[in-house]
Amino acid sequence: MLQEIMQFVSRHPILSLAWVGLLAAVIVMTFKSRFSKVKEIARGEATRLINKEDAVVVDTRTRDDFRRGHIANAINLTASEIKTGSFGELDKHKAQPVIVVCANGTTSREPAENLNKAGFEQVYTLKDGIAGWSGENLPLARGK
């Protein structure tokens, strides 16, 4: 078995390196999310936090995407605004739960981590983002 693996590696060095790189990336991402203070939550938990614990939703998509449809009362802040500390009206909500959403759940982790570092105590990301939210026919507000 080991001999076959070594043979494969010697015949396909680029493919083998790509595989090792992907494996390392998966391990790093798994550890980061496991030990992060920012937790990913499902839509049911998000609606509970919004309705019962006065959670604030931060939508990191572009202004145009935000206007086309967003979770009611969401605050539109781009990832770069969050990175530079331009929190605007969000600043007064540090003690409340904050749910960071993006288009499909793939780019909200970094802005969420930055909010956590900036002193926001309860920061979450929404699994599957706005795509998952609208996919379950949950309401979206337009305009603003």
Side-chain angles (χ1 to χ4, degrees):
M1 175 75 175
L2 185 62
Q3 189 176 357
E4 290 170 356
I5 292 171
M6 295 308 291
Q7 218 172 22
F8 179 85
V9 170
S10 66
R11 288 187 186 150
H12 307 284
I14 294 172
L15 195 58
S16 300
L17 280 173
W19 188 87
V20 168
L22 285 172
L23 179 64
V26 166
I27 291 169
V28 166
M29 292 304 287
T30 302
F31 272 96
K32 267 187 168 181
S33 65
R34 185 79 29 95
F35 295 107
S36 170
K37 290 180 182 167
V38 174
K39 299 295 175 211
E40 183 179 66
I41 56 172
R43 291 169 288 285
E45 176 67 4
T47 54
R48 188 192 71 73
L49 284 170
I50 293 165
N51 294 331
K52 302 273 194 258
E53 296 188 34
D54 207 20
V56 179
V57 176
V58 175
D59 193 320
T60 61
R61 297 173 303 146
T62 65
R63 303 277 183 258
D64 286 343
D65 288 343
F66 181 80
R67 283 188 199 100
R68 280 188 214 112
H70 56 269
I71 296 171
N73 302 316
I75 298 171
N76 188 210
L77 287 173
T78 63
S80 57
E81 288 172 326
I82 291 170
K83 193 171 192 169
T84 60
S86 304
F87 303 133
E89 61 180 298
L90 181 64
D91 223 7
K92 62 183 178 225
H93 299 288
K94 282 194 174 180
Q96 291 166 251
V98 175
I99 304 168
V100 181
V101 300
C102 60
N104 53 23
T106 55
T107 60
S108 55
R109 178 154 294 279
E110 186 180 341
E113 297 276 359
N114 288 333
L115 285 174
N116 185 254
K117 287 177 193 159
F120 290 84
E121 296 162 22
Q122 302 172 62
V123 184
Y124 305 92
T125 59
L126 181 64
K127 185 179 190 333
D128 302 326
I130 293 294
W133 183 272
S134 63
E136 282 194 15
N137 293 320
L138 292 163
L140 290 174
R142 309 227 182 272
K144 199 176 172 186

